Amino acid sequence: MGLIYYMRRLSKSVENVVNCSNNTLQSIHSAHRMNSIYPLRSLCSDVPYKNPIFKRKQVLGVSWNKFGHHQSRFQMGFHKSSHYLESTKFYVEPTISVETVVSSVNQVSGEAEIICRVLSNCSPDSNVAYSLDKLGVRVSPNLVEEVLRKLGNAGMLALAFFRWAEKEEGFKHTTLSFHHLIEALGKIKQFRLIWSLVESMKQKGLLRKDTFVLITRRYARAKKIREAIDAFEKMEMFGFKPELSDYNSLVDTVSKSRNVERAQVIFNDMKRRRKFSPDLKTYTILLEGWGNERNLTKLLELYQEMIGEGFTPDAVTYGIVINSFCKSGNCDEALNIFNEMQASGCKPTPHIFCSLINGLGSEKRLDEALKFFELSKSSGFAPELPTYNAIVGSYCWVSQFEDAFKVVEEMKKYEIGPNARTYDIILHHLIKSGKKEEAYWVFERMGKEGICEPQLSTYTMMVSMLCSEERVDLALKVWKEMSEKGVLPCMHMFSALINGLCFENRLEEACEYFKAMLRKGIRPPGKLFGNLKEALLYAGKKGLALELGLELDRLRRTPLNG
């Protein structure tokens, strides 16, 4: 039964990635890349098409030049508000020219991309040093920090690069480079190695409070709450005295790891033991946690407790509560709280307007969302990218993509975007609406026109979509483009591609990508290996299934050494 179901629609597991992406989008009014609406051109002349998808010559019936060569205005009275008036200008003569700074940043970014591209074709146990030495790049703290940041999803490669860099003559790691490595290793749960890095940081005088905050967060995200608390308490063993802000950080970390009940227990326990006295921020952190869990009962209980303790809600607190009701699909109650806030004399912030626009937009109450968009523009605040992203999303919820693209052009006009999240929003909704040709074409234009560089979330979304449409050929093309830019794939992306290859019975290729996943230290979900193993056994490739199983066991049992 399992195999039959798997062979029918293995690639459907890709939907998990889209759903995961959707949650992220809603939590940060996320967005992705998109141009305007331009005619769909032939996308890949070198790839044979198996079906009519991605061949249409028009996208939503609007030509490329309609929005591509001039700035469009809204048809709904959107206007430039008074906060665009030229403000007082101050001039401070720089000691280093802006051009020099920009050139230096661009050079570091370019060199980091080259290094990541080379590393993406290496395995951690191969001669990484030889490959890096051949590049002839001169290491610097900024370069090493940027490479390690980019290697955040490849802990084993990050460690190999870290060890290579520290052997270069005259080079010394910084606190930030250690932190980037700890972040990468934490994602693959190599905590024993992380603590050896802590000892090294102590010896070099690089240890900071932030180090323990980072380790605590990685434990919490790994669902190791007891270990997270222990890591926090070790701060004192290394000579750092925790303050109220640190306790707030601990509560926030545990809460945001989908463990708000444990965060509440920590809060109550530390309050009982008089470890600290909570302030308004502490309550606000917990309110946000219960809001993220959509537990409005607990949220209101805590809110009343806060009031009872003598705390007066500020704009941040109101914003958290309003956002919680909006995300829970209760915009009417959010509007009541908004009115209460105004009556108390508390001025709405851009975040509050953004939450209301997002919430109303998701309920397809476009007119009301537009009303708050206009209010936000007349409120005296400078235009903000998240607010514009929220109104883009509001149009997308009702499939008014042409209006969404006009907002994108308006963002360009005011030079506040778009960014990758803008396009992620549009791409997500295009895919959800079944407009997958348009989504792929928009993605293509992003890269070719240099509109906005795709991020990992964008690539993951596109690979997932293409595999679900049985267009693994195009998914591999996207994968190659991503690799050439030095962007390393994540677990979800590997899973989508491997499932897609299995569905097309390209089992040898699926195994190669599975091995590449293991070589980068990424632990696959059990279901992925189970599906691949079942397909291999069904195809009579028992030896290959056994080989992959042994490699997976080796990864699970062998700790990294640093």
Side-chain angles (χ1 to χ4, degrees):
M1 175 64 180
L3 180 60
I4 295 173
Y5 175 78
Y6 167 77
M7 295 308 291
R8 280 181 183 168
R9 188 71 270 176
L10 181 58
S11 59
K12 280 297 182 183
S13 63
V14 166
E15 290 175 1
N16 294 333
V17 182
V18 177
N19 291 334
C20 176
S21 183
N22 182 34
N23 293 334
T24 304
L25 299 175
Q26 290 183 351
S27 66
I28 51 181
H29 16 271
S30 48
H32 194 87
R33 57 206 75 223
M34 172 102 198
N35 276 335
S36 299
I37 344 175
Y38 314 110
L40 182 63
R41 301 178 181 176
S42 56
L43 302 172
C44 309
S45 57
D46 56 326
V47 179
Y49 291 94
K50 294 163 54 179
N51 53 43
I53 196 169
F54 310 136
K55 295 175 71 173
R56 199 180 305 162
K57 297 301 181 184
Q58 285 278 324
V59 175
L60 306 178
V62 182
S63 70
W64 169 277
N65 292 329
K66 182 170 181 180
F67 301 108
H69 293 91
H70 63 85
Q71 301 292 346
S72 62
R73 292 189 175 275
F74 293 117
Q75 297 176 344
M76 305 169 23
F78 295 168
H79 57 84
K80 191 173 184 178
S81 57
S82 59
H83 56 244
Y84 288 104
L85 297 175
E86 186 174 4
S87 58
T88 306
K89 295 181 179 179
F90 299 90
Y91 178 75
V92 179
E93 183 175 356
T95 55
I96 302 176
S97 70
V98 174
E99 291 80 4
T100 301
V101 174
V102 171
S103 175
S104 176
V105 170
N106 289 340
Q107 181 180 352
V108 168
S109 180
E111 290 176 347
E113 185 175 306
I114 291 170
I115 291 172
C116 288
R117 193 181 307 148
V118 170
L119 289 173
S120 67
N121 295 314
C122 295
S123 62
D125 54 356
S126 66
N127 196 348
V128 172
Y130 175 76
S131 300
L132 291 171
D133 288 340
K134 286 202 316 182
L135 290 176
V137 176
R138 184 175 180 180
V139 295
S140 67
N142 287 342
L143 176 61
V144 171
E145 289 164 5
E146 179 64 10
V147 171
L148 290 170
R149 184 186 68 80
K150 286 177 174 288
L151 293 174
N153 287 318
M156 295 173 74
L157 286 175
L159 177 63
F161 173 75
F162 183 92
R163 291 310 183 204
W164 170 80
E166 70 182 358
K167 294 176 183 177
E168 294 296 289
E169 184 177 355
F171 176 77
K172 292 183 179 180
H173 282 300
T174 63
T175 296
L176 186 55
S177 65
F178 271 97
H179 282 181
H180 284 318
L181 179 59
I182 288 171
E183 181 78 13
L185 293 172
K187 289 180 181 179
I188 56 175
K189 304 178 183 179
Q190 292 291 339
F191 293 107
R192 188 170 72 175
L193 178 54
I194 284 173
W195 286 112
S196 73
L197 292 174
V198 169
E199 290 292 343
S200 179
M201 292 177 73
K202 180 183 178 181
Q203 293 172 11
K204 298 175 187 295
L206 298 175
L207 201 56
R208 303 287 184 270
K209 268 188 182 182
D210 289 347
T211 310
F212 297 94
V213 172
L214 174 60
I215 297 171
T216 299
R217 184 169 69 246
R218 290 314 329 168
Y219 270 124
R221 290 184 180 176
K223 307 300 181 186
K224 297 176 179 289
I225 304 303
R226 180 65 259 169
E227 291 86 346
I229 297 171
D230 289 344
F232 177 83
E233 293 179 343
K234 281 184 180 179
M235 187 187 297
E236 292 190 74
M237 292 173 53
F238 284 85
F240 298 102
K241 183 175 177 59
E243 300 172 353
L244 175 59
S245 60
D246 300 310
Y247 286 109
N248 282 343
S249 176
L250 173 62
V251 173
D252 186 51
T253 294
V254 176
S255 176
K256 286 180 177 173
S257 65
R258 295 293 183 184
N259 283 281
V260 65
E261 291 185 6
R262 292 293 299 273
Q264 184 74 59
V265 169
I266 293 169
F267 170 86
N268 294 338
D269 181 59
M270 290 184 173
K271 184 180 176 183
R272 178 181 57 80
R273 292 193 290 152
R274 300 185 183 278
K275 280 273 191 177
F276 77 112
S277 297
D279 60 2
L280 180 61
K281 184 174 182 180
T282 320
Y283 279 102
T284 301
I285 289 168
L286 278 174
L287 286 170
E288 184 178 26
W290 288 118
N292 289 335
E293 289 294 313
R294 310 288 199 271
N295 193 330
L296 300 182
T297 301
K298 286 287 189 181
L299 180 142
L300 290 174
E301 286 178 3
L302 187 67
Y303 185 78
Q304 292 303 320
E305 178 185 328
M306 180 190 76
I307 300 297
E309 291 287 338
F311 293 105
T312 301
D314 59 7
V316 175
T317 311
Y318 276 121
I320 292 293
V321 177
I322 288 171
N323 188 49
S324 299
F325 278 102
C326 285
K327 289 194 299 184
S328 299
N330 195 341
C331 283
D332 289 330
E333 186 60 35
L335 292 172
N336 290 335
I337 297 169
F338 177 81
N339 293 331
E340 175 190 319
M341 177 191 66
Q342 286 192 306
S344 72
C346 187
K347 186 178 180 181
T349 62
H351 170 72
I352 290 174
F353 286 120
C354 188
S355 295
L356 288 168
I357 295 167
N358 268 317
L360 292 165
S362 67
E363 292 187 4
K364 301 185 179 180
R365 296 160 67 172
L366 179 60
D367 289 342
E368 293 172 87
L370 290 170
K371 169 191 157 187
F372 280 100
F373 183 59
E374 289 298 328
L375 280 174
S376 74
K377 292 200 295 184
S378 61
S379 63
F381 293 103
E384 290 195 354
L385 182 57
T387 308
Y388 273 82
N389 281 347
I391 204 65
V392 167
S394 296
Y395 279 123
C396 289
W397 275 108
V398 292
S399 298
Q400 292 184 208
F401 293 104
E402 294 185 20
D403 290 308
F405 301 146
K406 290 176 186 177
V407 179
V408 172
E409 292 303 317
E410 193 80 3
M411 294 163 77
K412 293 177 184 176
K413 179 179 179 179
Y414 293 148
E415 297 182 347
I416 60 168
N419 65 353
R421 291 176 180 174
T422 315
Y423 290 109
D424 277 344
I425 285 175
I426 298 175
L427 285 173
H428 169 75
H429 282 281
L430 283 171
I431 294 169
K432 186 178 178 181
S433 299
K435 301 180 184 297
K436 298 179 181 180
E437 301 97 327
E438 290 89 341
Y440 183 74
W441 184 84
V442 166
F443 170 76
E444 282 270 287
R445 299 317 307 177
M446 288 172 59
K448 290 180 179 177
E449 299 295 321
I451 300 167
C452 184
E453 277 298 309
Q455 300 299 307
L456 176 60
S457 58
T458 317
Y459 287 117
T460 302
M461 198 183 304
M462 296 313 299
V463 167
S464 300
M465 181 198 79
L466 291 167
C467 288
S468 70
E469 289 296 313
E470 302 175 33
R471 294 312 313 271
V472 176
D473 48 355
L474 293 183
L476 290 169
K477 179 177 182 289
V478 170
W479 189 289
K480 181 181 178 183
E481 292 171 358
M482 181 192 71
S483 298
E484 289 173 349
K485 293 182 180 180
V487 179
L488 296 172
C490 63
M491 181 267 289
H492 293 296
M493 197 171 180
F494 269 112
S495 297
L497 185 60
I498 291 168
N499 281 335
L501 288 166
C502 283
F503 186 76
E504 294 199 354
N505 202 32
R506 296 161 67 170
L507 297 180
E508 286 78 9
E509 291 175 83
C511 290
E512 288 304 312
Y513 281 96
F514 190 85
K515 290 177 182 178
M517 187 180 188
L518 300 183
R519 285 196 299 270
K520 287 176 170 53
I522 301 175
R523 299 189 180 195
K527 187 176 180 180
L528 176 66
F529 177 66
N531 288 340
L532 179 55
K533 179 181 177 181
E534 191 173 359
L536 289 169
L537 293 175
Y538 183 80
K541 300 180 183 296
K542 183 178 179 180
L544 191 51
L546 181 60
E547 178 187 341
L548 294 180
L550 291 173
E551 288 196 31
L552 180 57
D553 286 340
R554 193 177 303 119
L555 173 64
R556 288 171 173 168
R557 296 174 183 175
T558 306
L560 288 175
N561 295 312

